[in-house]
């Protein structure tokens, strides 16, 4: 019998700390349901003390999710722990994850605390968390740069105080695999009561080593990995869930443990997270990138045709690529549409929402012959967003682009129920359209990123555009999809403007203790 490797997903918490990736309560619910179908063991749904929005999102996820443990993050402060306890009250299974920094630089420069004081805070926090739940996780933040002796002392003390999981975060992505693995082995061996807790790791990807470090830790006794879909997370991100899970599964000959993840749900989750957050997946990304199972070189294609194992170590369908077939078309009815959406985890709040989504589906099917799951995900992202946040709406767009002429665009928007029209010239059709929109909405935000991805293949494919706007320290990502890239760009810009105007979307920070 192999050990169970606990998969702790933090897409909704650490993932949300990526610039512009803040999610609304409803978006978090959609992702949480997809994670539950993926069978992750623990879903870290947010940081309840960070904002009212985050508190409500954790509360909602806790009330809906039944098969995974729902976790809330809390600094080692009474008020944070109480907020987490309150947000998790309705959960079938709840966990409080409390943390305090333990590296010399963090203790001196950030916390202005002596090591003994840090231990006191940690112990007090764990004891308080235990009043709400028996499942308490403690993290010594910046463990990757903390002294091993000090880690041994604080971890022994928190186990005595009731911590059941000890998470070792490489907060700044400084570790390298052999050394990180040895640290985990040393901690397990040196801490006298280490058998009373599960050791976990949480690695950041600043040196591109998050997955390698996590796997080295697993080989040295860690039995929980914290990770995110698509490797989303602060700065360069966290260890990618799909890479960790598929490594352990594919190399079962070298790992003494296994996960309970249903890997066939991986691709759906990846697409959902990408479309909600506006973070596209790079084509050569392992497991979920568009090219992950594509063979270009003739010699490889020849080999795969003769025997798939010549160049493939995993089966594409095992991570959900086979679900990627044409699913619906122009003649599909409302029931077929609704049932495919249900399979994708989308539940409509009302008949009106279903009707709106179905009518958009029909419009898309008129333009595009074959509708894939990715098209449906993009479509629902738009409908879902509009329901909650749409202050500005794109009514019409006319663009004139001709060789030798300066492109110009005429845009009509509905802003707070009033229609306004404006024109602008630009370097190209997209530039002119976005300038015309900006003239009307006057956000004065900086365009920090503009990117286009085709959702499926072919020239009739929908283009998915991401627009990142930055204003006064606030960053938002807008998404738009359409078979016409100029319209997709306009939709993405309007989407980003709406997010900028929405009070619900703020970027929660871990803050300081
Ligand atoms: O990176 C980090 O240290 C964290 C902790 C809260 C676990 O995200
Ligand atoms: Zn982190």
């Amino acid at each position: 019998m192999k050990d169970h490797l606990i998969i702790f997903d933090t897409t909704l918490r650490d993932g949300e700390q990526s610039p512009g990736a803040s999610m609304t309560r409803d978006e978090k619910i959609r992702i949480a349901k997809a994670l539950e179908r993926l069978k992750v063991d623990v879903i870290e749904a947010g940081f309840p003390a960070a904002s009212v929005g985050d508190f409500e999102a954790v509360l909602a996820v806790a009330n809906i999710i039944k098969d995974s443990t729902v976790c809330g993050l809390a600094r080692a402060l009474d008020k944070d722990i109480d907020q987490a306890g309150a947000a998790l009250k309705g959960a079938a299974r709840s966990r409080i994850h409390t943390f305090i920094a333990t590296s010399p630089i963090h203790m001196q420069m950030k916390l202005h605390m002596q090591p003994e004081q840090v231990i006191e805070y940690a112990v007090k926090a764990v004891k308080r968390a235990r009043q709400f739940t028996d499942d308490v996780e403690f993290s010594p933040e910046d463990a990757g740069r903390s002294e091993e002796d000090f880690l041994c002392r604080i971890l022994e003390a928190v186990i005595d105080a009731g911590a059941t999981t000890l998470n070792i975060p490489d907060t700044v992505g400084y570790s390298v695999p052999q050394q990180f693995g040895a640290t985990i082995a040393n901690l397990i061996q040196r801490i006298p009561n280490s058998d009373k807790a599960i050791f976990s790791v949480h690695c950041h990807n600043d040196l591109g080593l998050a997955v390698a470090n996590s796997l080295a830790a697993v080989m040295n006794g860690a039995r929980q990995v914290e990770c995110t879909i698509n490797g989303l997370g602060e700065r360069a991100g966290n260890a990618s869930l799909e890479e960790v899970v598929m490594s352990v599964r594919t190399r079962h000959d070298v790992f003494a443990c296994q996960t309970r993840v249903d890997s066939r749900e991986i691709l759906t989750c990846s697409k959902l997270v990408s479309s909600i957050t506006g973070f596209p997946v790079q084509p050569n990304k392992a497991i979920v990138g568009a090219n992950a199972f594509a063979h270009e070189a003739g010699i490889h294609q020849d080999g795969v045709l003769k025997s798939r194992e010549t160049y493939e170590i995993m089966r594409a369908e095992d991570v959900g690529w086979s679900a990627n077939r044409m699913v619906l078309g122009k003649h599909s009815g409302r029931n077929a549409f609704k049932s495919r959406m249900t399979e994708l985890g989308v539940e409509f709040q009302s008949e009106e929402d279903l009707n709106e989504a179905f009518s958009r589906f029909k419009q898309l099917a008129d333009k595009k012959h074959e509708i894939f799951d990715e098209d449906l995900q993009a479509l629902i992202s738009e409908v879902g967003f509009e329901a909650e946040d749409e202050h500005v709406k794109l009514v019409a767009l006319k663009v004139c682009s001709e060789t030798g002429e300066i492109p110009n665009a005429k845009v009509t928007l509905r802003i707070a129920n009033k229609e306004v029209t404006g024109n602008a010239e630009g370097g190209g059709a997209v530039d002119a359209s976005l300038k015309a929109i900006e003239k009307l909405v006057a956000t004065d935000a900086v365009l920090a990123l503009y990117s286009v991805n085709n959702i499926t293949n072919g020239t009739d494919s929908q283009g998915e555009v991401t627009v990142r706007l930055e204003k006064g320290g606030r960053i938002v990502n807008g998404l738009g999809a359409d078979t016409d890239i100029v319209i997709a760009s306009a939709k993405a810009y309007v989407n980003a403007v709406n997010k900028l105007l929405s009070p619900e979307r703020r970027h929660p920070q871990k803050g300081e203790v």
Side-chain angles (χ1 to χ4, degrees), residues 69-83:
T69 297
V70 180
C71 175
L73 183 71
R75 292 168 296 183
L77 296 175
D78 290 355
K79 64 179 170 72
D80 276 34
I81 290 162
D82 295 352
Q83 293 268 55

Side-chain angles (χ1 to χ4, degrees), residues 13-14 73 97 99 139 141 167 169 171 202 204 510:
R13 198 278 297 168
D14 213 315
L73 183 71
H97 175 191
F99 71 98
S139 289
E141 192 191 8
N167 179 46
T171 304
H202 172 113
H204 278 273
K510 274 188 285 166

Side-chain angles (χ1 to χ4, degrees), residues 10 13-14 17 169-171 202-204 226 234-235 237-238 510:
T10 182
R13 198 278 297 168
D14 213 315
Q17 288 172 211
D170 184 22
T171 304
H202 172 113
C203 298
H204 278 273
E226 300 200 353
E234 283 254 20
R235 306 181 309 280
N238 289 74
K510 274 188 285 166

Side-chain angles (χ1 to χ4, degrees), residues 272-309:
L272 181 66
V273 168
S274 168
S275 92
I276 284 180
T277 58
F279 275 67
V281 174
Q282 77 199 55
N284 59 330
K285 164 84 178 62
I287 321 290
V288 292
N291 293 349
F293 292 90
H295 298 277
E296 178 65 24
I299 195 166
H300 287 205
Q301 287 174 350
D302 180 53
V304 168
L305 286 174
K306 286 176 179 150
S307 164
R308 181 154 75 169
E309 288 78 23

